[in-house]
């Protein structure tokens, strides 16, 4: 700003407008930058075609994914969070219920619709013991898995012995119960 001597009011200084040569320089600079950007993109495409899709020294989208990340992504995409969590519980059963109980009681299946965990025990005494512990185990499992994942533990006693089919068995017989009645 320069000061006018007539009234003491400053006058705005006028900057010279760009002339034809200056405008040409600005236009040339912009054209060079645009050409450089196009050339870089074209050169990258040529390199990709020549060398195939190889990854360089730095990480990019073509790098292989770690196995744990791939599995977690698959579980999330498919909506398998609940079955995977319950499967983890079956693998950590001894840590959850204790070594003594785990020796005699084994989780068999999980019904996702009803949210019921079925556990088989090797004796009726352990089945009774587990039925008494069931509310505590449900609370512990829900704390570990998330609220409401397990609503009931269905305890089953030992399975009966397998029916034996021997040479003295009558064809069509249903076993010892068919003679009484």
């Amino acid at each position: 700003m320069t000061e006018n001597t007539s009234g003491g009011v400053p006058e705005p200084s006028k900057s010279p407008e760009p002339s034809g040569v200056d405008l040409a320089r600005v236009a040339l600079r912009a054209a060079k930058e645009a050409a450089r950007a196009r050339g870089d993109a074209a050169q990258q495409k040529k390199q990709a075609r020549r060398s195939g899709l190889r990854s360089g020294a730095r990480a990019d989208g073509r790098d292989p994914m770690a196995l744990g990340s791939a599995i977690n992504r698959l579980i999330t995409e498919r909506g398998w969070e609940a079955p995977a969590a319950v499967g983890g519980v079956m693998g950590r059963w001894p840590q959850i219920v204790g070594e003594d109980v785990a020796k005699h009681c084994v989780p068999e299946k999980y019904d996702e619709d009803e949210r019921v965990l079925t556990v088989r025990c090797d004796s009726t005494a352990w089945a009774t013991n587990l039925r008494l512990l069931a509310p505590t185990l449900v609370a512990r499992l829900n704390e570990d898995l998330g609220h409401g994942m397990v609503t009931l533990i269905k305890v089953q006693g030992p399975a009966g012995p397998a029916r034996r089919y021997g040479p003295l068995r009558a064809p069509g017989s249903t076993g010892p119960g068919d003679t009484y009645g």
Side-chain angles (χ1 to χ4, degrees):
M1 297 252 190
T2 58
E3 192 172 311
N4 190 353
T5 55
S6 62
V9 178
E11 282 184 13
S13 63
K14 295 181 181 178
S15 60
E17 291 187 26
S19 65
V21 175
D22 293 331
L23 287 174
R25 284 185 187 143
V26 170
L28 179 62
R29 187 179 312 129
K32 282 183 178 180
E33 289 175 6
R36 187 177 305 124
R38 282 193 309 268
D40 288 344
Q43 188 171 356
Q44 287 176 352
K45 285 182 182 179
K46 284 181 186 176
Q47 281 181 337
R49 268 188 254 131
R50 265 187 264 138
S51 63
L53 291 177
R54 287 190 220 144
S55 179
R58 294 184 176 80
D60 63 4
R62 298 172 292 170
D63 287 340
M65 187 182 275
L67 181 62
S69 301
I71 290 174
N72 288 338
R73 186 169 137 200
L74 179 68
I75 287 172
T76 303
E77 286 175 355
R78 303 282 172 113
W80 294 340
E81 288 93 357
V86 173
V89 164
M90 292 190 180
R92 293 180 289 125
W93 183 252
Q95 289 86 16
I96 293 171
V97 297
E99 293 293 328
D100 292 336
V101 176
K103 287 178 187 174
H104 301 282
C105 303
V106 178
E108 281 193 339
K109 65 179 179 176
Y110 174 73
D111 185 4
E112 189 176 351
D113 297 330
E114 296 180 19
R115 299 180 186 243
V116 174
L117 179 66
T118 304
V119 178
R120 171 123 6 230
C121 298
D122 62 1
S123 70
T124 55
W126 277 103
T128 303
N129 189 18
L130 195 65
R131 283 186 191 102
L132 294 173
L133 291 173
T136 308
L137 286 177
V138 168
R140 193 178 303 166
L141 289 169
N142 283 330
E143 182 181 303
D144 190 33
L145 298 173
H147 183 68
M149 289 295 293
V150 178
T151 57
L152 179 70
I153 294 181
K154 186 176 178 182
V155 181
Q156 296 180 344
R163 296 184 107 182
R164 294 176 35 197
Y165 298 99
L168 300 178
R169 185 170 178 346
S173 167
T174 59
D178 67 351
T179 58
Y180 303 108

